[in-house]
Amino acid sequence: MANGHLQRLGFLTIGLFDPDDPRPGHESTLEVIELGEQLGFDSAWVRHRHLQHGVSSPVALLAAATQRTRHIELGTAVIPLGWENPLRLAEDLATVDVLSGGRLQPGISVGPPTHWDDVKKSLYPDTWEDEDFTYERIERLLHHLGGGRASDFAGVEGIETYSARVEPHVPDLASRVWQGAAGLGSVRWAAERGLNLLSSNLVRAEDDDDFDRVQRSHIDTFRAHHRDPSRGRVSQGRVVIPTDSATPEQVAKYQAYVDSRLPRTHAPQGPGRILFSTDLIGPAASIADQLHTTLSYQAVDEVVFALPFTFDHDDYVQILTDIATRLGPELGWSPTAHPAGA
């Protein structure tokens, strides 16, 4: 980390909502993003949840956020490309980026959709046996974001004009794509392709069972193999819950949440041998001390702290406010200053 100071501070939300009344949850997510900008956060990220009670269309939600904010970066963490047509996704991403004034940070991942056998015939009824969920899907997305040919026809037909590439075209949008990577191979591929890296609170235990050492190896590998190390961004994500201004009732709820998730951090989980980081809870100064001692945090100057899944709106306001006003300064971060009237 440059000079021991955190340069960029972001947050991530799942956008939880009530399935019987989904609007208030979506509205709450937009209000949280607005608050993030007011507090000076550098970025706000939205998780992607298909067939769950969390935001299923972060691109659509961020389109709304572009009209409520003016400065904060808006990211997706992450869009699983197995659910997407790369050409159509490129159109949506470019449109939202234009609306945002160039603030979109698209985060993506590859692999078969979750519960593939249960959804494949609904998602790809005629082609599910032939779908390619490898890095080729990322290549297709980058091709279209970069202005590559999408059609063999371009020109005027009657009164309509057709383009051979995705429109609108944003020349630098492809350079802002992030890959969510849990394994070393994905990390290296992202680096060699020139993407940015989202390293979250889960990694694969391939050669080591210690989360911190594994994540640090991913960050070091990414920096060593990136085609342009001066431009490749890497962000660390984990759950932090500062309690400085929390009520006793909130502290009890937060602690119960952290305790319920602790057992999964003791050993690799499932056939994929997934390692989870521990959630950090307590006064901001204590959380900062713990972060400063971790190998992975020492290697980054950008973080995206994840908001817990199941809390209430007032809880998110308290947590975000404490992160921005107490934890951030403890880490050497200063809110982004914007020119008056900008």
Side-chain angles (χ1 to χ4, degrees), residues 35-54:
L35 174 64
E37 177 164 272
Q38 294 164 12
L39 290 169
F41 279 89
D42 297 289
S43 61
W45 300 74
V46 181
R47 289 183 184 269
H48 204 147
R49 284 293 183 267
H50 286 297
L51 306 182
Q52 294 181 277
H53 304 137

Side-chain angles (χ1 to χ4, degrees), residues 16 241 253-255 257 308-313 315-316 319:
L16 194 69
I241 308 177
K253 176 167 64 173
Y254 300 168
Q255 190 63 59
Y257 177 86
F309 288 174
T310 57
F311 289 3
D312 297 322
H313 183 82
D315 301 329
Y316 295 141
I319 292 169

Side-chain angles (χ1 to χ4, degrees), residues 156-232:
V156 179
E157 186 176 73
I159 62 172
E160 297 188 64
T161 300
Y162 291 86
S163 172
R165 70 184 184 188
V166 163
E167 301 292 350
H169 174 59
V170 181
D172 71 330
L173 184 53
S175 69
R176 283 183 265 135
V177 172
W178 298 69
Q179 183 172 340
L184 197 57
S186 295
V187 168
R188 184 162 181 167
W189 189 90
E192 293 173 345
R193 191 60 184 80
L195 305 182
N196 302 306
L197 175 66
L198 286 169
S199 187
S200 71
N201 64 336
L202 63 90
V203 296
R204 294 191 187 279
E206 295 168 317
D207 301 314
D208 194 333
D209 286 359
D210 181 83
F211 176 91
D212 190 35
R213 289 196 300 264
V214 172
Q215 189 169 65
R216 176 59 185 260
S217 74
H218 288 182
I219 295 169
D220 291 344
T221 297
F222 178 79
R223 296 198 189 283
H225 291 89
H226 200 279
R227 62 167 61 171
D228 186 357
S230 65
R231 294 178 60 87

Side-chain angles (χ1 to χ4, degrees), residues 21-34:
D21 188 13
R23 181 171 180 173
H26 287 78
E27 181 66 27
S28 172
T29 300
L30 290 170
E31 291 174 0
V32 163
I33 293 173
E34 289 182 90

